[in-house]
Amino acid sequence: MSSAAPRWKTALTKGLEKSKMAVFQLATVDPNGSPHVRSCINREFIAPQNFPSLPLLVSTTDTRTPKVTQILSQTRVETVFWVEGTMEQYRISGFASVIPAPSHALYHHFESSRGPAFAALKDEGFDWEAKRREVFDYLGGHMRATWCRPIPGSEPESGHVDAKAWPESVCKLGEARTDQEKEHVDTAIERFALLVIDPEEVDYVELGVIPNQRTTFRRTEDGWVEKAVVP
Amino acid sequence: MSSAAPRWKTALTKGLEKSKMAVFQLATVDPNGSPHVRSCINREFIAPQNFPSLPLLVSTTDTRTPKVTQILSQTRVETVFWVEGTMEQYRISGFASVIPAPSHALYHHFESSRGPAFAALKDEGFDWEAKRREVFDYLGGHMRATWCRPIPGSEPESGHVDAKAWPESVCKLGEARTDQEKEHVDTAIERFALLVIDPEEVDYVELGVIPNQRTTFRRTEDGWVEKAVVP
């Protein structure tokens, strides 16, 4: 494996620098074979120290959302980043893993996550639970409060959405003072999960240059194989 | 059916007004059950004159792209619009139709397109071929030239991408003067297709307001049923 970060990752990171948020769209398939897609935020890239050529995309989710069920039934996913400033598109296909609390019923699915990046991180002693808690604390209090709401997308039992019944903000881990604050943070961290995407193929289209360029990258045992293709 | 445009369509149109381009992401499933997603541009909404409650999304494509094969094998698709300015997300699921030239081998698939919007447009005598030609002429010459390239995403037979071998610009229908210009425009219009999405369900999330709001819309025989759900 090459010891350098793949060219698509360097270009994507540069393209995203001017964006407020690293928004991408994640496509999944449900058990009926219907596609679904929604916007997510890439919080960071994580790569094994010895293998920068194997970056993972790290986003967050709620274990109660339909996309988690979809990913568990079909781990193959595709994401797309549209970088408006540079008129570039990155389509990244690979495998998704949901990393919940170790105490969560879905945790055993994560333990079976495969692929060279996860294997290398395991060898290096990477602590996913510490990373999960670090990302949780990095989010804003308002965002953390979303994990204390009823199931996202559900109809409230009362028939109407009563946002006042939900906490507006949830504090960081270890910063809860009252019993209620502690209850909220415990509830939120139990439902909070990392959503990690392990890229296998990347389709990089540059529409900001004339003539347009398009490059495909495929991960192999010998590193990323790059090919210029018809845009 | 209500005779008004659905609220999600009015809100989306307003949200997109400040955007340079109405970019959305289209998720499809391939015959192996893997999801795919890419950015598209919504060129316009088309609704039957008598049924503004049934708007269709109109985008464009090349009949030679993988997404066309994917749509023919699974017409169920989902799209997402992320409107950065207003922090709104619109997820629109429904059915996709590819509308190529009437002379094209894939045209019979379009003829079997179902749903109330297509039926109402047919009753009103809507001319899809005239619309296809109108949209083709509306695009820029550089964009029209993309339909004269080898198959998008393919590796050139020569082993390297020779953009100089392809036309830089293709003129509008009826404006070709030389034999070569005529050949290019004929080639482009034969491969050019409309990609039309018939929405059935919409999930509208408003993250720009506190508390956040989320509304689902489902099309029924009696119009769009709107429900407030947990964001």
Side-chain angles (χ1 to χ4, degrees):
Chain A
M1 271 286 185
S2 155
S3 66
R7 190 170 73 87
W8 64 260
K9 191 258 185 179
T10 315
L12 174 56
T13 305
K14 197 177 165 191
L16 293 174
E17 269 169 13
K18 289 177 189 163
S19 306
K20 265 190 297 182
M21 292 187 300
V23 176
F24 67 91
Q25 283 72 32
L26 169 70
T28 55
V29 179
D30 71 21
N32 298 322
S34 297
H36 296 279
V37 60
R38 75 290 285 161
S39 305
C40 298
I41 296 174
N42 188 46
R43 299 292 169 179
E44 60 179 295
F45 290 98
I46 289 179
Q49 288 189 333
N50 295 321
F51 297 96
S53 59
L54 299 173
L56 299 169
L57 279 69
V58 180
S59 187
T60 65
T61 191
D62 186 314
T63 48
R64 303 170 297 161
T65 58
K67 68 172 162 299
V68 169
T69 315
Q70 289 156 19
I71 287 168
L72 295 180
S73 79
Q74 165 60 292
T75 57
R76 181 103 213 169
V77 300
E78 191 162 293
T79 67
V80 60
F81 286 84
W82 170 247
V83 186
E84 181 102 9
T86 50
M87 297 280 282
E88 291 177 337
Q89 174 176 268
Y90 298 78
R91 293 171 66 185
I92 302 174
S93 64
F95 297 91
S97 296
V98 175
I99 311 184
S103 56
H104 196 282
L106 297 178
Y107 190 74
H108 71 280
H109 289 280
F110 162 56
E111 288 183 298
S112 65
S113 288
R114 290 196 174 83
F118 280 105
L121 285 164
K122 195 173 182 181
D123 286 348
E124 293 178 2
F126 189 84
D127 185 342
W128 279 107
E129 175 58 5
K131 175 54 70 179
R132 190 179 74 93
R133 298 172 77 89
E134 176 195 317
V135 174
F136 181 82
D137 275 353
Y138 174 80
L139 302 172
H142 179 73
M143 179 79 184
R144 276 193 294 272
T146 61
W147 284 277
C148 287
R149 295 175 185 162
I151 298 175
S154 66
E155 284 177 62
E157 284 177 30
S158 65
H160 71 283
V161 174
D162 183 12
K164 286 175 189 161
W166 312 329
E168 268 182 49
S169 185
V170 165
C171 57
K172 294 183 185 188
L173 294 166
E175 292 190 359
R177 293 176 191 184
T178 68
D179 283 353
Q180 195 186 45
E181 282 174 357
K182 194 172 178 313
E183 190 189 316
H184 287 161
V185 78
D186 286 351
T187 299
I189 191 68
E190 179 66 18
R191 292 171 177 168
F192 173 77
L194 297 180
L195 197 170
V196 177
I197 291 149
D198 186 6
E200 201 175 55
E201 288 181 72
V202 177
D203 176 2
Y204 173 34
V205 182
E206 296 167 82
L207 298 178
V209 293
I210 306 275
N212 299 160
Q213 291 190 30
R214 185 169 179 178
T215 315
T216 59
F217 300 78
R218 196 166 51 83
R219 195 181 69 198
T220 71
E221 289 191 6
D222 301 319
W224 289 89
V225 174
E226 187 174 331
K227 278 182 188 163
V229 298
V230 178
Chain B
M1 272 288 189
S2 155
S3 66
R7 192 170 73 86
W8 63 261
K9 191 257 183 179
T10 315
L12 174 57
T13 306
K14 198 176 165 190
L16 293 174
E17 270 169 13
K18 288 176 190 164
S19 306
K20 265 190 298 182
M21 292 188 299
V23 176
F24 68 91
Q25 283 73 32
L26 169 70
T28 54
V29 179
D30 72 21
N32 297 322
S34 297
H36 296 279
V37 60
R38 76 289 286 163
S39 304
C40 300
I41 297 174
N42 188 47
R43 298 292 171 180
E44 60 179 294
F45 290 98
I46 289 178
Q49 287 189 334
N50 295 322
F51 297 95
S53 60
L54 299 172
L56 299 169
L57 280 68
V58 180
S59 187
T60 65
T61 191
D62 186 314
T63 48
R64 302 169 298 161
T65 58
K67 68 172 164 297
V68 168
T69 314
Q70 290 156 18
I71 286 169
L72 295 180
S73 79
Q74 165 59 294
T75 58
R76 181 105 213 165
V77 300
E78 191 163 293
T79 67
V80 59
F81 286 84
W82 169 248
V83 186
E84 181 102 9
T86 50
M87 296 280 282
E88 292 177 337
Q89 173 176 270
Y90 299 78
R91 294 171 67 185
I92 302 174
S93 63
F95 296 91
S97 296
V98 175
I99 311 184
S103 57
H104 196 282
L106 297 177
Y107 189 75
H108 70 280
H109 288 280
F110 162 56
E111 289 183 297
S112 65
S113 287
R114 291 194 172 84
F118 280 106
L121 284 165
K122 195 173 182 180
D123 286 348
E124 293 178 1
F126 189 84
D127 186 341
W128 279 107
E129 175 58 6
K131 175 55 70 178
R132 190 180 74 94
R133 298 172 77 90
E134 177 195 319
V135 174
F136 181 82
D137 275 352
Y138 174 79
L139 302 172
H142 179 74
M143 179 80 184
R144 277 192 294 272
T146 62
W147 284 277
C148 288
R149 294 175 186 162
I151 298 175
S154 66
E155 286 178 62
E157 284 177 31
S158 65
H160 71 282
V161 174
D162 183 13
K164 286 177 189 162
W166 313 329
E168 270 182 48
S169 184
V170 165
C171 57
K172 294 184 185 189
L173 293 165
E175 292 190 359
R177 292 177 192 184
T178 68
D179 283 352
Q180 195 186 46
E181 282 175 357
K182 193 172 180 311
E183 190 190 318
H184 287 160
V185 77
D186 286 350
T187 299
I189 191 69
E190 178 67 18
R191 292 171 177 168
F192 173 78
L194 297 180
L195 197 170
V196 177
I197 290 150
D198 186 8
E200 201 175 54
E201 289 181 71
V202 177
D203 177 1
Y204 172 35
V205 181
E206 296 167 81
L207 297 178
V209 294
I210 305 276
N212 299 161
Q213 291 189 31
R214 185 169 180 178
T215 315
T216 60
F217 300 78
R218 197 166 51 82
R219 195 181 70 197
T220 71
E221 288 191 6
D222 301 318
W224 289 88
V225 174
E226 187 174 333
K227 278 182 188 164
V229 298
V230 177

Tab-separated table of all heavy atoms in Angstrom, chain A residues 12-43:
chain	number	residue	atom	x	y	z
A	12	LEU	N	-10.336	16.736	-2.274
A	12	LEU	CA	-11.622	16.963	-1.601
A	12	LEU	C	-11.439	17.844	-0.370
A	12	LEU	O	-12.198	18.791	-0.142
A	12	LEU	CB	-12.264	15.616	-1.221
A	12	LEU	CG	-13.543	15.665	-0.394
A	12	LEU	CD1	-14.627	16.494	-1.075
A	12	LEU	CD2	-14.073	14.247	-0.129
A	13	THR	N	-10.417	17.560	0.420
A	13	THR	CA	-10.143	18.348	1.613
A	13	THR	C	-9.906	19.811	1.237
A	13	THR	O	-10.436	20.719	1.876
A	13	THR	CB	-8.898	17.787	2.347
A	13	THR	OG1	-9.114	16.402	2.601
A	13	THR	CG2	-8.661	18.504	3.660
A	14	LYS	N	-9.152	20.026	0.159
A	14	LYS	CA	-8.874	21.385	-0.309
A	14	LYS	C	-10.162	22.058	-0.785
A	14	LYS	O	-10.432	23.221	-0.467
A	14	LYS	CB	-7.840	21.321	-1.445
A	14	LYS	CG	-7.175	22.648	-1.725
A	14	LYS	CD	-6.111	22.497	-2.810
A	14	LYS	CE	-5.709	23.860	-3.340
A	14	LYS	NZ	-4.887	23.746	-4.557
A	15	GLY	N	-10.975	21.314	-1.537
A	15	GLY	CA	-12.228	21.862	-2.055
A	15	GLY	C	-13.187	22.262	-0.946
A	15	GLY	O	-13.936	23.236	-1.062
A	16	LEU	N	-13.155	21.504	0.149
A	16	LEU	CA	-14.093	21.758	1.247
A	16	LEU	C	-13.644	22.893	2.160
A	16	LEU	O	-14.437	23.402	2.955
A	16	LEU	CB	-14.291	20.487	2.088
A	16	LEU	CG	-15.010	19.322	1.398
A	16	LEU	CD1	-14.999	18.092	2.299
A	16	LEU	CD2	-16.442	19.695	1.024
A	17	GLU	N	-12.369	23.293	2.035
A	17	GLU	CA	-11.833	24.311	2.952
A	17	GLU	C	-12.643	25.604	2.959
A	17	GLU	O	-12.807	26.235	3.992
A	17	GLU	CB	-10.376	24.622	2.599
A	17	GLU	CG	-9.397	23.742	3.362
A	17	GLU	CD	-7.980	23.861	2.826
A	17	GLU	OE1	-7.698	24.782	2.037
A	17	GLU	OE2	-7.145	23.000	3.186
A	18	LYS	N	-13.168	25.968	1.779
A	18	LYS	CA	-13.910	27.226	1.687
A	18	LYS	C	-15.380	27.065	2.069
A	18	LYS	O	-16.111	28.040	2.151
A	18	LYS	CB	-13.796	27.800	0.277
A	18	LYS	CG	-12.406	28.332	-0.028
A	18	LYS	CD	-12.311	28.818	-1.464
A	18	LYS	CE	-10.866	29.149	-1.825
A	18	LYS	NZ	-10.666	29.244	-3.267
A	19	SER	N	-15.827	25.818	2.234
A	19	SER	CA	-17.230	25.591	2.578
A	19	SER	C	-17.432	25.761	4.080
A	19	SER	O	-16.546	25.464	4.872
A	19	SER	CB	-17.659	24.171	2.185
A	19	SER	OG	-17.368	23.928	0.830
A	20	LYS	N	-18.619	26.225	4.446
A	20	LYS	CA	-18.953	26.361	5.863
A	20	LYS	C	-19.008	24.986	6.514
A	20	LYS	O	-18.532	24.764	7.610
A	20	LYS	CB	-20.331	27.042	6.013
A	20	LYS	CG	-20.283	28.538	6.215
A	20	LYS	CD	-21.649	29.082	6.595
A	20	LYS	CE	-22.686	28.881	5.495
A	20	LYS	NZ	-23.995	29.442	5.811
A	21	MET	N	-19.641	24.057	5.809
A	21	MET	CA	-19.805	22.708	6.329
A	21	MET	C	-19.478	21.709	5.234
A	21	MET	O	-19.734	21.975	4.062
A	21	MET	CB	-21.273	22.472	6.733
A	21	MET	CG	-21.741	23.284	7.919
A	21	MET	SD	-23.405	22.762	8.402
A	21	MET	CE	-24.348	23.107	6.919
A	22	ALA	N	-18.925	20.565	5.626
A	22	ALA	CA	-18.618	19.514	4.660
A	22	ALA	C	-19.864	18.647	4.452
A	22	ALA	O	-19.956	17.537	4.958
A	22	ALA	CB	-17.439	18.685	5.158
A	23	VAL	N	-20.832	19.212	3.725
A	23	VAL	CA	-22.092	18.493	3.494
A	23	VAL	C	-21.928	17.480	2.368
A	23	VAL	O	-21.347	17.795	1.331
A	23	VAL	CB	-23.229	19.478	3.129
A	23	VAL	CG1	-24.514	18.729	2.799
A	23	VAL	CG2	-23.471	20.458	4.265
A	24	PHE	N	-22.391	16.270	2.583
A	24	PHE	CA	-22.454	15.297	1.490
A	24	PHE	C	-23.804	14.601	1.546
A	24	PHE	O	-24.543	14.747	2.525
A	24	PHE	CB	-21.296	14.290	1.567
A	24	PHE	CG	-21.341	13.347	2.745
A	24	PHE	CD1	-21.975	12.113	2.641
A	24	PHE	CD2	-20.734	13.671	3.946
A	24	PHE	CE1	-22.004	11.232	3.714
A	24	PHE	CE2	-20.750	12.807	5.029
A	24	PHE	CZ	-21.394	11.574	4.911
A	25	GLN	N	-24.132	13.914	0.476
A	25	GLN	CA	-25.376	13.166	0.442
A	25	GLN	C	-25.058	11.680	0.464
A	25	GLN	O	-24.171	11.216	-0.260
A	25	GLN	CB	-26.199	13.534	-0.799
A	25	GLN	CG	-26.917	14.883	-0.675
A	25	GLN	CD	-26.003	16.093	-0.735
A	25	GLN	OE1	-24.980	16.062	-1.420
A	25	GLN	NE2	-26.346	17.156	-0.039
A	26	LEU	N	-25.799	10.970	1.300
A	26	LEU	CA	-25.574	9.535	1.495
A	26	LEU	C	-26.747	8.758	0.918
A	26	LEU	O	-27.895	8.976	1.324
A	26	LEU	CB	-25.460	9.242	3.000
A	26	LEU	CG	-25.495	7.769	3.404
A	26	LEU	CD1	-24.211	7.051	2.966
A	26	LEU	CD2	-25.682	7.635	4.914
A	27	ALA	N	-26.453	7.865	-0.020
A	27	ALA	CA	-27.494	7.020	-0.602
A	27	ALA	C	-27.411	5.614	-0.018
A	27	ALA	O	-26.325	5.031	0.066
A	27	ALA	CB	-27.353	6.965	-2.119
A	28	THR	N	-28.563	5.111	0.388
A	28	THR	CA	-28.682	3.760	0.935
A	28	THR	C	-29.842	3.068	0.233
A	28	THR	O	-30.612	3.707	-0.489
A	28	THR	CB	-28.977	3.812	2.444
A	28	THR	OG1	-30.149	4.622	2.644
A	28	THR	CG2	-27.820	4.407	3.237
A	29	VAL	N	-29.965	1.767	0.475
A	29	VAL	CA	-31.083	1.006	-0.097
A	29	VAL	C	-31.852	0.375	1.056
A	29	VAL	O	-31.239	-0.141	2.000
A	29	VAL	CB	-30.559	-0.098	-1.036
A	29	VAL	CG1	-31.716	-0.912	-1.619
A	29	VAL	CG2	-29.756	0.515	-2.167
A	30	ASP	N	-33.191	0.417	0.986
A	30	ASP	CA	-33.968	-0.207	2.054
A	30	ASP	C	-34.221	-1.679	1.715
A	30	ASP	O	-33.915	-2.140	0.607
A	30	ASP	CB	-35.259	0.585	2.329
A	30	ASP	CG	-36.298	0.461	1.233
A	30	ASP	OD1	-36.258	-0.509	0.450
A	30	ASP	OD2	-37.169	1.347	1.156
A	31	PRO	N	-34.730	-2.460	2.687
A	31	PRO	CA	-34.919	-3.898	2.440
A	31	PRO	C	-35.867	-4.213	1.267
A	31	PRO	O	-35.853	-5.325	0.742
A	31	PRO	CB	-35.491	-4.403	3.771
A	31	PRO	CG	-34.948	-3.451	4.796
A	31	PRO	CD	-34.961	-2.121	4.105
A	32	ASN	N	-36.674	-3.228	0.826
A	32	ASN	CA	-37.522	-3.438	-0.354
A	32	ASN	C	-36.813	-3.120	-1.664
A	32	ASN	O	-37.408	-3.209	-2.736
A	32	ASN	CB	-38.781	-2.556	-0.273
A	32	ASN	CG	-39.641	-2.898	0.930
A	32	ASN	OD1	-39.780	-4.070	1.277
A	32	ASN	ND2	-40.195	-1.879	1.567
A	33	GLY	N	-35.548	-2.685	-1.567
A	33	GLY	CA	-34.806	-2.365	-2.781
A	33	GLY	C	-35.026	-0.953	-3.287
A	33	GLY	O	-34.656	-0.634	-4.419
A	34	SER	N	-35.609	-0.077	-2.459
A	34	SER	CA	-35.801	1.313	-2.863
A	34	SER	C	-34.654	2.169	-2.331
A	34	SER	O	-34.226	1.995	-1.185
A	34	SER	CB	-37.117	1.868	-2.310
A	34	SER	OG	-38.201	1.154	-2.854
A	35	PRO	N	-34.178	3.105	-3.158
A	35	PRO	CA	-33.068	3.956	-2.724
A	35	PRO	C	-33.544	5.094	-1.816
A	35	PRO	O	-34.693	5.538	-1.906
A	35	PRO	CB	-32.547	4.531	-4.044
A	35	PRO	CG	-33.749	4.578	-4.936
A	35	PRO	CD	-34.622	3.411	-4.530
A	36	HIS	N	-32.659	5.539	-0.949
A	36	HIS	CA	-32.923	6.695	-0.087
A	36	HIS	C	-31.677	7.556	-0.058
A	36	HIS	O	-30.570	7.051	-0.218
A	36	HIS	CB	-33.315	6.239	1.322
A	36	HIS	CG	-34.597	5.471	1.314
A	36	HIS	ND1	-35.833	6.070	1.290
A	36	HIS	CD2	-34.832	4.139	1.245
A	36	HIS	CE1	-36.777	5.145	1.231
A	36	HIS	NE2	-36.199	3.968	1.202
A	37	VAL	N	-31.870	8.851	0.136
A	37	VAL	CA	-30.722	9.758	0.144
A	37	VAL	C	-31.032	10.949	1.035
A	37	VAL	O	-32.167	11.441	1.067
A	37	VAL	CB	-30.347	10.190	-1.306
A	37	VAL	CG1	-31.493	10.909	-2.006
A	37	VAL	CG2	-29.082	11.024	-1.331
A	38	ARG	N	-30.036	11.373	1.801
A	38	ARG	CA	-30.188	12.520	2.698
A	38	ARG	C	-28.830	13.190	2.868
A	38	ARG	O	-27.781	12.586	2.614
A	38	ARG	CB	-30.754	12.110	4.070
A	38	ARG	CG	-29.793	11.424	4.997
A	38	ARG	CD	-29.420	10.042	4.547
A	38	ARG	NE	-30.470	9.051	4.770
A	38	ARG	CZ	-30.538	7.882	4.162
A	38	ARG	NH1	-29.579	7.512	3.287
A	38	ARG	NH2	-31.504	7.025	4.403
A	39	SER	N	-28.867	14.440	3.350
A	39	SER	CA	-27.630	15.186	3.570
A	39	SER	C	-27.018	14.812	4.913
A	39	SER	O	-27.739	14.606	5.890
A	39	SER	CB	-27.917	16.687	3.546
A	39	SER	OG	-28.553	17.033	2.336
A	40	CYS	N	-25.705	14.723	4.937
A	40	CYS	CA	-24.959	14.427	6.167
A	40	CYS	C	-23.791	15.408	6.234
A	40	CYS	O	-23.499	16.099	5.262
A	40	CYS	CB	-24.392	13.007	6.129
A	40	CYS	SG	-25.626	11.695	6.033
A	41	ILE	N	-23.142	15.457	7.363
A	41	ILE	CA	-21.951	16.303	7.500
A	41	ILE	C	-20.743	15.412	7.782
A	41	ILE	O	-20.800	14.570	8.683
A	41	ILE	CB	-22.128	17.328	8.638
A	41	ILE	CG1	-23.276	18.292	8.292
A	41	ILE	CG2	-20.838	18.126	8.873
A	41	ILE	CD1	-23.631	19.250	9.404
A	42	ASN	N	-19.695	15.576	6.983
A	42	ASN	CA	-18.463	14.837	7.249
A	42	ASN	C	-17.709	15.561	8.360
A	42	ASN	O	-17.270	16.693	8.184
A	42	ASN	CB	-17.588	14.739	6.000
A	42	ASN	CG	-16.410	13.805	6.200
A	42	ASN	OD1	-16.573	12.708	6.712
A	42	ASN	ND2	-15.226	14.239	5.827
A	43	ARG	N	-17.601	14.913	9.513
A	43	ARG	CA	-16.953	15.558	10.664
A	43	ARG	C	-15.438	15.540	10.548
A	43	ARG	O	-14.751	16.458	10.978
A	43	ARG	CB	-17.390	14.863	11.959
A	43	ARG	CG	-18.886	14.935	12.215
A	43	ARG	CD	-19.330	16.355	12.518
A	43	ARG	NE	-20.794	16.494	12.519
A	43	ARG	CZ	-21.422	17.630	12.772
A	43	ARG	NH1	-20.741	18.742	13.003
A	43	ARG	NH2	-22.735	17.680	12.739
